[in-house]
Amino acid sequence: MPTDKNIELTISDGHAPAPPKAAKKILDVAYDLFYRRGIRAIGVDEIVRRAGVTKPSLYRSFPSKDELAASYLRRYDLEFWGRFDEAVNAHPGDPRAQIGAFLTRIGKRTQMPEYRGCGMTNAAVEYPERGHPARVVSEDNKQELRRRLRAMAAAMGAGDADTLGDGLLLLIEGAYISGQLFGLGGPAQSVARNADLLIEASLKK
């Protein structure tokens, strides 16, 4: 996984990458704009203008806008798993509490005025074509989330762990979308409670 220190890339024409500070500035601006307004809606001209750099500087760091979008999502991926792992580490050995803690945070985030859902989900909708760099990062994130939720459901002792894990994933994705549709006071605020009801029903079978 790339970090802010190694996001700059060397492109095939032999040009040296832009200085790390410029590359970070470009990615910082792109991250904010892509999340708030969507990837396709933002052009490289606006990114370089807001970042205070030149267009050649951008392309020395990111060979294409598609690669810049993928770099944005790689950073998003790191932050996503950081939040997930915080919830897991706060409740060692208790997957039900871990899921509850993670979803409680999601529910609270959906109530914020600037909430725009999940960047991964949004990118997958924007880029339906298989193999697109942004979609590949999004798909990998979702596949890993599905794997982890199924494993946590199994650790809880669910008779049909895969179905429970998938049900939790559907609740999460629903919260991402409904958070944007309803905003403050919407159904996404109760995603943790609904997940716990689903878990309880699954464990009784």
Side-chain angles (χ1 to χ4, degrees), residues 21 32 38 71 91-93 113 133 140-141 146 154 162 175 182 187 194 199:
K21 189 175 293 186
D32 175 64
S71 294
H91 302 277
D140 287 348
N141 173 274
R146 186 187 191 198
D162 287 352
F182 293 93
N194 279 286
I199 292 169

Side-chain angles (χ1 to χ4, degrees), residues 39 64-74 120 123 127 129-140:
I39 299 171
S64 64
K65 183 188 171 185
D66 288 346
E67 185 54 43
L68 177 58
S71 294
Y72 146 64
L73 291 169
R74 291 185 194 109
M120 295 291 185
Y127 293 97
E129 57 270 31
R130 301 290 178 181
H132 187 282
R135 187 177 180 90
V136 168
V137 179
S138 300
E139 287 181 349
D140 287 348

Side-chain angles (χ1 to χ4, degrees), residues 62 73 80 147:
F62 307 95
L73 291 169
F80 176 89
R147 186 195 68 77

Side-chain angles (χ1 to χ4, degrees), residues 25-189:
K25 188 180 297 184
I26 292 165
L27 186 55
D28 287 345
V29 169
Y31 187 106
D32 175 64
L33 293 174
F34 287 165
Y35 179 75
R36 287 192 296 107
R37 292 166 50 189
I39 299 171
R40 288 190 184 276
I42 301 300
V44 295
D45 288 337
E46 182 171 3
I47 292 170
V48 298
R49 178 175 59 80
R50 287 177 178 258
V53 300
T54 64
K55 192 178 291 187
S57 179
L58 183 149
Y59 286 119
R60 282 197 296 270
S61 297
F62 307 95
S64 64
K65 183 188 171 185
D66 288 346
E67 185 54 43
L68 177 58
S71 294
Y72 146 64
L73 291 169
R74 291 185 194 109
R75 179 190 282 186
Y76 193 101
D77 183 69
L78 288 172
E79 294 177 355
F80 176 89
W81 292 119
R83 292 190 296 269
F84 191 95
D85 291 340
E86 276 185 19
V88 169
N89 295 334
H91 302 277
D94 189 346
R96 186 169 181 173
Q98 292 167 351
I99 290 172
F102 179 64
L103 295 190
T104 295
R105 290 185 62 173
I106 289 179
K108 290 179 178 178
R109 289 180 64 211
T110 66
Q111 303 302 291
M112 297 178 179
E114 69 276 13
Y115 186 69
R116 277 276 292 124
C118 173
M120 295 291 185
T121 300
N122 295 343
V125 172
E126 284 197 82
Y127 293 97
E129 57 270 31
R130 301 290 178 181
H132 187 282
R135 187 177 180 90
V136 168
V137 179
S138 300
E139 287 181 349
D140 287 348
N141 173 274
K142 299 301 182 181
Q143 290 287 355
E144 176 60 13
L145 179 58
R146 186 187 191 198
R147 186 195 68 77
R148 292 197 193 193
L149 290 173
R150 285 180 160 199
M152 293 167 85
M156 280 185 262
D160 188 349
D162 287 352
T163 297
L164 174 56
D166 285 352
L168 293 169
L169 181 59
L170 289 171
L171 278 174
I172 292 170
E173 291 298 324
Y176 291 149
I177 298 300
S178 64
Q180 298 185 67
L181 290 172
F182 293 93
L184 186 63
Q189 65 182 331

